[in-house]
Amino acid sequence: MMPEIKQYIRLVKEIVLSSERPLRYYVDTYGCQQNESDSEILRGLAEEMGYLPADDTVDADLIVVNTCAVREHAEQRIFGNVGAMSHIKKKNPDLVILMAGCMMSEPHVRDRVKKSFPYVSGTLDTNSTDRMPEILYAILSDRKRRFYFDEDRNILEATEGLPRVRTNGIKAWLPIMKGCNNFCSYCIVPYVRGREQSRAASDVLREAREIIDAGHKEITLLGQNVNSYQGIEGGFPALLREVNKIPGDFRIRFMTSHPKDAGEELFRAISECEKVSAALHLPFQSGSDRILREMNRGYTADQYKRKIELARRYTPDLAITSDVIVGFPGETEEDYQMTEDLVREIGFVSLFTFIFSPREGTKAARIHDDTPESVIKDRFLRLVAVQDAISKESHASRIGMLETVLYDGFSRDKDALSSRTDDGRLVIVKQDPSCIGSFGKVKITGSTTWSLIGEPMDE
Ligand code: SAM
Ligand code: SF4
Ligand code: F3S
């Protein structure tokens, strides 16, 4: 940890511990696993400064809203929820509300926070996560608002070794890189997360060992495009093999892979490493070559299909999941049909379907499109229906199979446990809660569109 951070932690801690009652923090996280991972650092720093965790925002003296900018809907929801926090601030005028994360890297969003959310005390962009103690000390000292923004900073270096509070004791996120260089024409991530940087393999492996020693049973290696990881000779497949060598009973997952960079070495590593799950999340975004070109994705639909074929040659049962966007500007019914055809042809286990959302500053946001919203909504619903039928069939085909699952909590109805197969499928099992956090064998006895039902096997 950098000496100046230590200094600010100490100064804030003095203020926090001199309070008449214990002060509490709450980190409200939106967006992807990268943000979940950053929130672990925000929690770690808050606890180092003497704050205790709060169960809810209403009980907190420090609220950090870790934001996501990927779609307009996400931004609106966050502004709505921050708007509702004005009531908490009225009841507790000493409350400090900070906004952090991807939205805070957008200048127009910071301006909006400055003007329209006067009870938000400060902002930290994605390059200034580690400066939370500094901003808090400044705010607590004179109660003036602060808006931190660091354009050119090595945030990987700045956050290396910072304390983390992981709230899930079974599954752990492990960031291996930051940023993205791909500039897909619709995507805000390269603008708000900056250029790609890989973490040194030695740091990744040290943290992986710590995670396993702490009792976690699953590690997910994180990056916007893990296939361009540069922290070790041999790239990401070599890193997978090194993590796989760590002794212990645990699973390895990773996300996200980019079709232009995922190749034979990756598929070979998945099939040869016994701890690496037989699962691959490989977003395709569109089945139309014209749209893929406009999206700047760097592959054709046919190249995507051939990659999947190759991956399945190494791991025939590989569970493939994906992301797709409908309603990209200029998408015709013919383009949409090509997407639907690709979905039918591949047979994804599940698919995240998004409606295109124009993001200020991206290339695609400048493309004029007069396709009515109703047409796009209709394509979205058709694609969801096609995939639901495929998912249902895919899950039904597992009935009768024996699976090793990791019990990770209670089912939604709380009357059973939820668990995951090696390839990532959700299995609901009537099982003793003492099994949460351990592996077990189950027989698949039923299925729905999104999950499986299993019975424990005597071992
Ligand atoms: N890096 C990953 C990749 O390349 O697939 C995922 C990045 S993004 C956080 C997750 C998904 O959000 C993308 O795969 C894409 O389908 C979707 N997405 C990104 N920008 C979008 C936009 N402007 N409108 C709708 N969906 C978007
Ligand atoms: Fe966005 Fe494309 Fe980078 Fe993924 S690879 S984060 S979709 S720019
Ligand atoms: Fe959102 Fe930022 Fe992730 S924009 S999807 S939280 S990288």
Side-chain angles (χ1 to χ4, degrees), residues 173-189:
W173 308 122
L174 178 46
I176 63 166
M177 52 205 298
K178 293 258 158 140
C180 183
N181 293 349
N182 287 312
F183 289 94
C184 301
S185 65
Y186 50 82
C187 186
I188 194 76
V189 172

Side-chain angles (χ1 to χ4, degrees), residues 70-71 186 224 256 283 285 297 323 325 354-355 357 359:
V70 78
R71 281 171 288 276
Y186 50 82
Q224 292 299 346
T256 301
Q285 313 298 2
R297 288 290 288 179
D323 295 348
I325 295 176
F354 301 107
I355 289 181
S357 172
R359 307 315 292 133

Side-chain angles (χ1 to χ4, degrees), residues 19 48 72 85 110 137 192 214 270 286 363:
S19 163
E48 288 282 306
E72 198 184 339
M85 286 176 191
R110 283 200 305 278
Y137 180 65
V192 294
I270 296 173
S286 171
K363 209 170 156 200

Side-chain angles (χ1 to χ4, degrees), residues 30-36 66-71 74 101-103 126 187-189 192-193 224:
Y30 298 83
C32 68
Q33 293 80 5
Q34 293 281 342
N35 257 18
E36 297 280 352
N66 196 6
T67 62
C68 169
V70 78
R71 281 171 288 276
C102 295
M103 274 166 74
T126 53
C187 186
I188 194 76
V189 172
V192 294
R193 287 270 173 186
Q224 292 299 346

Side-chain angles (χ1 to χ4, degrees), residues 121-147:
S121 309
T123 63
L124 294 166
D125 77 320
T126 53
N127 274 341
S128 46
T129 314
D130 61 307
R131 295 179 69 199
M132 184 167 76
E134 182 185 339
I135 199 170
L136 257 179
Y137 180 65
I139 294 166
L140 292 173
S141 300
D142 61 10
R143 293 278 155 188
K144 289 202 179 112
R145 307 171 80 202
R146 303 287 196 295
F147 301 91

